[in-house]
């Protein structure tokens, strides 16, 4: 997700009585019903990591709400998920603008910094604030922010993006402490270089791909489904005693602040 300022936020509304069964896919074996009876609201979820997260949570039994800037994309994603048999609804939600992605790879004027922080940090805080009454009404739930390995190890040309993703690490810690008394867990995922349309600038040419691979000990790009499996775990009761943590899924890339 390096080449985009699109921010995926996930909110799950807690419910009890989940049952466990098994499911296997290319990357993991996990209970398919860990999230049965829960509602998952996933922003920026019509493509890439966001869509993979929505699909995985639907597969695990959650009722999913997908969103994006464009109604056409929302409708297409909703249809795909419904055709797969998942309980899903969709809505248009403007949390980013197309031109923001281009600004990441140009010199960053003050307005670019403002836009990037509005999307990656302020929107995370404001969306969390909006969902709190619903979480409290259901006696708890969880929030998962999507940061980036760039939040730990800034990459060249991605200064503003990297700093905004570092800010999410702090927001995760602060929100987790504040919301723990309300039975709301707050965690964060920091993906490495994931093979999506929005990260194409980092792997679409042989030169770019060679540079990327030199930073990844596992010598391959991540797939969106691999990020979705981590998020599904964080939303499940298997992670019931985990809050305030950032999980790094980056194939061994350097991750110290």
């Amino acid at each position: 997700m390096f080449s985009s300022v699109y921010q995926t936020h996930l909110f799950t509304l807690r419910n009890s009585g989940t049952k466990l069964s098994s499911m296997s896919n290319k990357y993991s074996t996990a209970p398919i019903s860990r999230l049965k009876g829960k509602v998952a609201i996933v922003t920026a979820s019509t493509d890439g990591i966001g869509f993979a997260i929505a699909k995985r949570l639907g597969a695990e039994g959650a009722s999913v709400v997908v969103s994006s800037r464009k109604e056409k994309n929302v409708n297409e994603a909703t249809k795909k998920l419904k055709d797969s048999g998942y309980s899903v609804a969709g809505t248009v939600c403007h949390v980013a603008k197309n031109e923001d992605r281009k600004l990441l790879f140009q010199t960053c004027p003050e307005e670019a910094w403002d836009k990037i922080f509005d999307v990656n940090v302020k929107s995370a805080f404001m969306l969390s604030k909006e969902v709190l009454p619903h979480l409290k009404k259901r006696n708890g739930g969880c929030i998962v922010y999507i940061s980036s390995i760039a939040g730990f190890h800034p990459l060249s040309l991605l200064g503003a993006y990297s700093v905004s993703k570092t800010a999410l690490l702090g927001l995760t810690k602060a929100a987790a402490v504040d919301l723990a008394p309300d039975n709301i867990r707050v965690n964060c995922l920091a993906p490495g270089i994931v093979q999506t349309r929005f990260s194409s600038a980092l792997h679409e040419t042989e030169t770019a791909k060679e540079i990327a691979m030199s930073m990844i000990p596992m010598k391959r790009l991540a797939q969106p489904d691999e990020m979705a499996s981590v998020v599904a775990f964080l939303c499940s009761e298997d992670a019931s005693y985990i809050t305030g943590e950032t999980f790094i899924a980056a194939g061994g890339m350097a991750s110290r602040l």
Side-chain angles (χ1 to χ4, degrees), residues 8-13 18 20 23 25 27-36 38-42 49-62 64 86 141-146 185 187-190 224-242 247 249:
T8 299
H9 305 75
L10 172 68
F11 311 99
T12 60
L13 281 62
T18 59
L20 300 182
M23 175 184 74
N25 59 33
Y27 301 107
S28 65
T29 299
I32 195 170
S33 298
R34 290 188 297 186
L35 305 178
K36 187 175 181 180
K38 294 186 178 182
V39 177
I41 302 170
V42 190
I49 295 176
F51 181 76
I53 290 172
K55 184 177 180 180
R56 176 60 182 263
L57 300 185
E60 296 220 17
V64 181
Y86 306 139
C142 65
I143 297 172
V144 180
Y145 299 124
I146 307 298
R185 297 185 295 106
N187 290 296
C188 184
L189 169 64
D225 288 348
E226 294 178 286
M227 303 301 107
S229 62
V230 179
V231 173
F233 163 70
L234 291 173
C235 293
S236 74
E237 293 303 314
D238 290 341
S240 60
Y241 200 58
I242 299 174
F247 283 63

Side-chain angles (χ1 to χ4, degrees), residues 131-141 179 182 184:
V131 82
L132 281 181
H134 303 283
L135 294 173
K136 291 178 179 179
K137 184 178 180 180
R138 293 203 176 199
N139 192 35
L179 299 179
D182 294 309
I184 298 171

